[in-house]
Amino acid sequence: MALGVLSLSSVTSGSFNTAQGFESFYSNTTDNHNAALGYRALCQNGTGSFNTAIGDLALNSNISGNSNTALGHNALAFNNTGYSNIGIGDGALYTSTGGNNLVAIGDSALYNQQSGLAQNTAVGSKALFANTTGFANTAVGFKAGMVNTTAVNNSFLAKHRASKTLPGTTIPL
């Protein structure tokens, strides 16, 4: 089902897709079981399936990524091939292009996450904001782990400038 100018306009053999909004699912060709709601949501999706994008530009650049959920303006906006990601909030997982198994809840959470090993969880506004290639990290709270860029296997609680570290970590909370 399509509602909106140019939504689902390129579909060839895909099925069970729903699109509402200007150019939502614009490049859709053979993918299945997707839902897009918002201006250019899942706009460039070609073969990715089982994705949900709600919000302007949510999963906008997704080409072949599967099983992603993006809720919010620019959530997972640059995801191309990443799979099994959840981005909830304005700009959550904004720059991630191919990361997998990422969870970002909060505005700009995991904003700078890149592709490669990922498996990060960030809950809170700007949590793990600067993280680029660090993986297996968990951050909970406002700006938790905000300055982390490449560290691996850490847990961050509360604000990024806290004065103590958790056992086994070398980075300030």
Side-chain angles (χ1 to χ4, degrees), residues 21-37:
F22 178 78
E23 289 187 348
S24 58
F25 273 145
Y26 176 75
S27 298
N28 177 58
T29 55
T30 60
D31 52 339
N32 300 297
H33 302 278
N34 292 293
L37 173 61

PDB file of all heavy atoms in Angstrom, residues 21-37:
ATOM      1  N   GLY A  21       4.051   8.869   2.781  1.00  0.00           N
ATOM      2  CA  GLY A  21       4.888  10.054   2.848  1.00  0.00           C
ATOM      3  C   GLY A  21       5.611  10.283   1.534  1.00  0.00           C
ATOM      4  O   GLY A  21       5.851   9.341   0.770  1.00  0.00           O
ATOM      5  N   PHE A  22       5.956  11.504   1.257  1.00  0.00           N
ATOM      6  CA  PHE A  22       6.639  11.874   0.019  1.00  0.00           C
ATOM      7  C   PHE A  22       7.920  11.063  -0.143  1.00  0.00           C
ATOM      8  O   PHE A  22       8.776  11.038   0.736  1.00  0.00           O
ATOM      9  CB  PHE A  22       6.967  13.370   0.032  1.00  0.00           C
ATOM     10  CG  PHE A  22       7.705  13.843  -1.185  1.00  0.00           C
ATOM     11  CD1 PHE A  22       7.026  14.068  -2.366  1.00  0.00           C
ATOM     12  CD2 PHE A  22       9.073  14.043  -1.152  1.00  0.00           C
ATOM     13  CE1 PHE A  22       7.694  14.501  -3.503  1.00  0.00           C
ATOM     14  CE2 PHE A  22       9.760  14.480  -2.277  1.00  0.00           C
ATOM     15  CZ  PHE A  22       9.062  14.700  -3.455  1.00  0.00           C
ATOM     16  N   GLU A  23       8.056  10.357  -1.258  1.00  0.00           N
ATOM     17  CA  GLU A  23       9.209   9.526  -1.616  1.00  0.00           C
ATOM     18  C   GLU A  23       9.562   8.451  -0.585  1.00  0.00           C
ATOM     19  O   GLU A  23      10.693   7.971  -0.548  1.00  0.00           O
ATOM     20  CB  GLU A  23      10.437  10.389  -1.918  1.00  0.00           C
ATOM     21  CG  GLU A  23      10.319  11.156  -3.214  1.00  0.00           C
ATOM     22  CD  GLU A  23      11.595  11.872  -3.615  1.00  0.00           C
ATOM     23  OE1 GLU A  23      12.536  11.981  -2.796  1.00  0.00           O
ATOM     24  OE2 GLU A  23      11.646  12.323  -4.763  1.00  0.00           O
ATOM     25  N   SER A  24       8.620   8.058   0.248  1.00  0.00           N
ATOM     26  CA  SER A  24       8.912   6.926   1.133  1.00  0.00           C
ATOM     27  C   SER A  24       8.959   5.679   0.264  1.00  0.00           C
ATOM     28  O   SER A  24       8.130   5.496  -0.618  1.00  0.00           O
ATOM     29  CB  SER A  24       7.854   6.806   2.231  1.00  0.00           C
ATOM     30  OG  SER A  24       6.565   6.664   1.687  1.00  0.00           O
ATOM     31  N   PHE A  25       9.972   4.853   0.448  1.00  0.00           N
ATOM     32  CA  PHE A  25      10.204   3.664  -0.392  1.00  0.00           C
ATOM     33  C   PHE A  25      10.345   4.021  -1.873  1.00  0.00           C
ATOM     34  O   PHE A  25       9.956   3.269  -2.745  1.00  0.00           O
ATOM     35  CB  PHE A  25       9.055   2.662  -0.266  1.00  0.00           C
ATOM     36  CG  PHE A  25       9.177   1.704   0.856  1.00  0.00           C
ATOM     37  CD1 PHE A  25       8.051   1.291   1.521  1.00  0.00           C
ATOM     38  CD2 PHE A  25      10.392   1.199   1.243  1.00  0.00           C
ATOM     39  CE1 PHE A  25       8.129   0.395   2.557  1.00  0.00           C
ATOM     40  CE2 PHE A  25      10.489   0.300   2.272  1.00  0.00           C
ATOM     41  CZ  PHE A  25       9.349  -0.099   2.935  1.00  0.00           C
ATOM     42  N   TYR A  26      10.917   5.127  -2.160  1.00  0.00           N
ATOM     43  CA  TYR A  26      11.043   5.586  -3.549  1.00  0.00           C
ATOM     44  C   TYR A  26      11.804   4.591  -4.419  1.00  0.00           C
ATOM     45  O   TYR A  26      11.413   4.314  -5.544  1.00  0.00           O
ATOM     46  CB  TYR A  26      11.740   6.950  -3.577  1.00  0.00           C
ATOM     47  CG  TYR A  26      12.011   7.473  -4.956  1.00  0.00           C
ATOM     48  CD1 TYR A  26      10.978   7.997  -5.736  1.00  0.00           C
ATOM     49  CD2 TYR A  26      13.289   7.441  -5.496  1.00  0.00           C
ATOM     50  CE1 TYR A  26      11.211   8.469  -7.011  1.00  0.00           C
ATOM     51  CE2 TYR A  26      13.533   7.918  -6.772  1.00  0.00           C
ATOM     52  CZ  TYR A  26      12.496   8.431  -7.527  1.00  0.00           C
ATOM     53  OH  TYR A  26      12.736   8.905  -8.786  1.00  0.00           O
ATOM     54  N   SER A  27      12.902   4.006  -3.932  1.00  0.00           N
ATOM     55  CA  SER A  27      13.728   3.098  -4.741  1.00  0.00           C
ATOM     56  C   SER A  27      13.418   1.627  -4.498  1.00  0.00           C
ATOM     57  O   SER A  27      14.145   0.750  -4.961  1.00  0.00           O
ATOM     58  CB  SER A  27      15.216   3.350  -4.456  1.00  0.00           C
ATOM     59  OG  SER A  27      15.563   4.661  -4.809  1.00  0.00           O
ATOM     60  N   ASN A  28      12.389   1.334  -3.757  1.00  0.00           N
ATOM     61  CA  ASN A  28      12.014  -0.040  -3.442  1.00  0.00           C
ATOM     62  C   ASN A  28      11.866  -0.867  -4.716  1.00  0.00           C
ATOM     63  O   ASN A  28      11.200  -0.458  -5.649  1.00  0.00           O
ATOM     64  CB  ASN A  28      10.696  -0.027  -2.670  1.00  0.00           C
ATOM     65  CG  ASN A  28      10.191  -1.405  -2.374  1.00  0.00           C
ATOM     66  OD1 ASN A  28      10.874  -2.192  -1.745  1.00  0.00           O
ATOM     67  ND2 ASN A  28       8.999  -1.711  -2.842  1.00  0.00           N
ATOM     68  N   THR A  29      12.532  -2.038  -4.767  1.00  0.00           N
ATOM     69  CA  THR A  29      12.401  -2.900  -5.949  1.00  0.00           C
ATOM     70  C   THR A  29      11.896  -4.286  -5.586  1.00  0.00           C
ATOM     71  O   THR A  29      10.828  -4.683  -6.015  1.00  0.00           O
ATOM     72  CB  THR A  29      13.753  -3.021  -6.698  1.00  0.00           C
ATOM     73  OG1 THR A  29      14.750  -3.482  -5.797  1.00  0.00           O
ATOM     74  CG2 THR A  29      14.156  -1.694  -7.326  1.00  0.00           C
ATOM     75  N   THR A  30      12.662  -5.037  -4.800  1.00  0.00           N
ATOM     76  CA  THR A  30      12.304  -6.442  -4.556  1.00  0.00           C
ATOM     77  C   THR A  30      12.198  -6.790  -3.078  1.00  0.00           C
ATOM     78  O   THR A  30      12.130  -7.967  -2.734  1.00  0.00           O
ATOM     79  CB  THR A  30      13.357  -7.373  -5.187  1.00  0.00           C
ATOM     80  OG1 THR A  30      14.627  -7.097  -4.595  1.00  0.00           O
ATOM     81  CG2 THR A  30      13.424  -7.191  -6.688  1.00  0.00           C
ATOM     82  N   ASP A  31      12.189  -5.826  -2.213  1.00  0.00           N
ATOM     83  CA  ASP A  31      12.167  -6.136  -0.790  1.00  0.00           C
ATOM     84  C   ASP A  31      10.760  -6.460  -0.300  1.00  0.00           C
ATOM     85  O   ASP A  31       9.768  -6.186  -0.962  1.00  0.00           O
ATOM     86  CB  ASP A  31      12.764  -4.988   0.020  1.00  0.00           C
ATOM     87  CG  ASP A  31      12.127  -3.662  -0.322  1.00  0.00           C
ATOM     88  OD1 ASP A  31      11.538  -3.533  -1.397  1.00  0.00           O
ATOM     89  OD2 ASP A  31      12.212  -2.752   0.502  1.00  0.00           O
ATOM     90  N   ASN A  32      10.687  -7.053   0.882  1.00  0.00           N
ATOM     91  CA  ASN A  32       9.419  -7.521   1.436  1.00  0.00           C
ATOM     92  C   ASN A  32       9.274  -7.133   2.898  1.00  0.00           C
ATOM     93  O   ASN A  32      10.266  -6.974   3.608  1.00  0.00           O
ATOM     94  CB  ASN A  32       9.331  -9.055   1.344  1.00  0.00           C
ATOM     95  CG  ASN A  32       9.430  -9.539  -0.086  1.00  0.00           C
ATOM     96  OD1 ASN A  32       8.590  -9.235  -0.910  1.00  0.00           O
ATOM     97  ND2 ASN A  32      10.494 -10.287  -0.378  1.00  0.00           N
ATOM     98  N   HIS A  33       8.041  -7.004   3.330  1.00  0.00           N
ATOM     99  CA  HIS A  33       7.699  -6.826   4.740  1.00  0.00           C
ATOM    100  C   HIS A  33       8.358  -5.592   5.362  1.00  0.00           C
ATOM    101  O   HIS A  33       8.986  -5.677   6.416  1.00  0.00           O
ATOM    102  CB  HIS A  33       8.059  -8.076   5.543  1.00  0.00           C
ATOM    103  CG  HIS A  33       7.389  -9.311   5.053  1.00  0.00           C
ATOM    104  ND1 HIS A  33       6.105  -9.652   5.397  1.00  0.00           N
ATOM    105  CD2 HIS A  33       7.817 -10.290   4.224  1.00  0.00           C
ATOM    106  CE1 HIS A  33       5.770 -10.776   4.814  1.00  0.00           C
ATOM    107  NE2 HIS A  33       6.793 -11.194   4.085  1.00  0.00           N
ATOM    108  N   ASN A  34       8.212  -4.436   4.734  1.00  0.00           N
ATOM    109  CA  ASN A  34       8.741  -3.185   5.263  1.00  0.00           C
ATOM    110  C   ASN A  34       7.605  -2.213   5.512  1.00  0.00           C
ATOM    111  O   ASN A  34       6.569  -2.271   4.851  1.00  0.00           O
ATOM    112  CB  ASN A  34       9.709  -2.547   4.262  1.00  0.00           C
ATOM    113  CG  ASN A  34      10.972  -3.352   4.095  1.00  0.00           C
ATOM    114  OD1 ASN A  34      11.774  -3.461   5.004  1.00  0.00           O
ATOM    115  ND2 ASN A  34      11.146  -3.931   2.917  1.00  0.00           N
ATOM    116  N   ALA A  35       7.844  -1.277   6.437  1.00  0.00           N
ATOM    117  CA  ALA A  35       6.879  -0.217   6.706  1.00  0.00           C
ATOM    118  C   ALA A  35       7.617   1.106   6.818  1.00  0.00           C
ATOM    119  O   ALA A  35       8.630   1.202   7.518  1.00  0.00           O
ATOM    120  CB  ALA A  35       6.114  -0.506   7.987  1.00  0.00           C
ATOM    121  N   ALA A  36       7.143   2.116   6.086  1.00  0.00           N
ATOM    122  CA  ALA A  36       7.762   3.437   6.118  1.00  0.00           C
ATOM    123  C   ALA A  36       6.677   4.503   6.270  1.00  0.00           C
ATOM    124  O   ALA A  36       5.681   4.485   5.547  1.00  0.00           O
ATOM    125  CB  ALA A  36       8.544   3.689   4.833  1.00  0.00           C
ATOM    126  N   LEU A  37       6.903   5.407   7.211  1.00  0.00           N
ATOM    127  CA  LEU A  37       5.969   6.500   7.442  1.00  0.00           C
ATOM    128  C   LEU A  37       6.776   7.772   7.653  1.00  0.00           C
ATOM    129  O   LEU A  37       7.520   7.880   8.626  1.00  0.00           O
ATOM    130  CB  LEU A  37       5.106   6.213   8.669  1.00  0.00           C
ATOM    131  CG  LEU A  37       4.185   7.330   9.138  1.00  0.00           C
ATOM    132  CD1 LEU A  37       3.174   7.679   8.043  1.00  0.00           C
ATOM    133  CD2 LEU A  37       3.469   6.918  10.414  1.00  0.00           C
TER     134      LEU A  37
END
